[in-house]
Amino acid sequence: MGVSTSAPDDGVTVVTVDFPPVNALPVQGWYDLAAAVRSAGADPKTRCVVLTAEGRGFNAGVDIKELQRATGPEAILGANHGCAEAFSAVYDCAVPVVAAVHGFCLGGGVGLVGNADAVVASEDASFGLPELDRGALGAATHLARLVPQHLMRTLYYTSRTVTAEELHRHGSVWRVVPRARLRTAALELAREIAAKDGRLLRLAKAAINGIDPVDVRRAYRFEQGFTFEANLSGVADEVRDAFGSDRQEEQA
């Protein structure tokens, strides 16, 4: 359980997240994920990173139960900083990152995938930001990298999800495959990328990040300010408590 790293192919490093039952990451989990991705990218032998997960879904966001147990602001501050670190680690990784997504990809999962360089998804994958149902805000910055602006707003306000096939039609998911073939498909793409010269890949990643029209780090930290305001006002606790009573575990 936790975050692990493997190297199944020359030039390819796989970072795997495993926090049962639904991959809702605790504060330390976000920092561990950030460290693993940064370490993989810093390894001169790595030319592509694959980000994947075990269990029922790719990522269910922040561990809401950890926030509910907290008596002070430390947990929400930790979650804010931890998510920012993990998202930045994916975006700033010195080599391309391929996200391999199955099942649900919610909240912080969208933050990770939205900052990846390429996305391969299984047919059962779904993506969304149920933040308004959880007493939180954030990651619209990253959802906007996956869908057009007005669809992003509609999904955000309604907490609805979209399928991998829908994202494929928008061009943000490279391939949609049966779940049993997800790892194979992700590794096939990673191998194709890793076959390039590692020095040029690192230059290419830096160049592409440099021409991004939106500063994703600044935009996300701006969003997080409103998350903290919602917590200070008390409205976040009210919504989280109501969500907790529903106990929709797959979105916990």
Side-chain angles (χ1 to χ4, degrees):
M1 188 178 81
V3 180
S4 60
T5 303
S6 61
D9 293 288
D10 183 39
V12 176
T13 298
V14 177
V15 175
T16 304
V17 175
D18 184 13
F19 286 88
V22 293
N23 282 325
L25 272 59
V27 169
Q28 188 57 51
W30 293 105
Y31 282 105
D32 292 345
L33 176 55
V37 173
R38 292 189 193 281
S39 177
D43 185 343
K45 296 189 297 295
T46 299
R47 297 187 294 280
C48 186
V49 173
V50 175
L51 179 59
T52 186
E54 296 288 347
R56 292 165 50 191
F58 177 78
N59 190 287
V62 170
D63 185 348
I64 297 295
K65 295 177 183 177
E66 185 178 43
L67 298 182
Q68 290 174 323
R69 289 193 299 267
T71 57
E74 291 78 13
I76 188 63
L77 285 173
N80 276 9
H81 286 288
C83 284
E85 282 293 311
F87 299 171
S88 293
V90 172
Y91 183 78
D92 292 327
C93 186
V95 298
V97 177
V98 174
V101 182
H102 73 282
F104 43 82
C105 178
L106 304 171
V110 169
L112 296 170
V113 170
N115 271 354
D117 294 277
V119 185
V120 177
S122 61
E123 293 168 338
D124 67 342
S126 60
F127 304 74
L129 292 179
E131 311 305 272
L132 294 184
D133 290 339
R134 300 182 180 186
L137 299 169
T141 293
H142 311 96
L143 184 59
R145 295 166 70 84
L146 299 173
V147 299
Q149 180 70 211
H150 284 85
L151 178 55
M152 178 275 287
R153 289 172 179 254
T154 302
L155 293 173
Y156 198 91
Y157 297 145
T158 62
S159 298
R160 288 177 177 266
T161 60
V162 290
T163 66
E165 187 56 46
E166 289 175 285
L167 291 190
H168 180 62
R169 290 199 295 269
H170 287 298
S172 50
V173 167
W174 174 250
R175 287 184 67 189
V176 180
V177 298
R179 184 158 175 172
R181 279 193 43 80
L182 178 61
R183 180 179 175 88
T184 298
L187 287 175
E188 285 174 354
L189 177 57
R191 290 189 201 104
E192 185 176 349
I193 293 170
K196 308 298 182 184
D197 186 282
R199 297 162 298 179
L200 286 178
L201 276 174
R202 290 167 186 269
L203 290 173
K205 178 66 180 279
I208 291 173
N209 279 6
I211 62 171
D212 254 341
V214 174
D215 183 337
V216 295
R217 304 177 207 83
R218 183 195 62 78
Y220 180 58
R221 292 296 283 161
F222 179 81
E223 287 186 75
Q224 285 189 316
F226 291 95
T227 300
F228 194 58
E229 182 178 328
N231 278 269
L232 287 177
S233 70
V235 66
D237 288 332
E238 292 177 18
V239 174
R240 265 198 300 271
D241 289 344
F243 168 80
S245 64
D246 291 337
R247 208 50 78 194
Q248 295 171 313
E249 191 180 16
E250 71 276 9
Q251 296 181 5

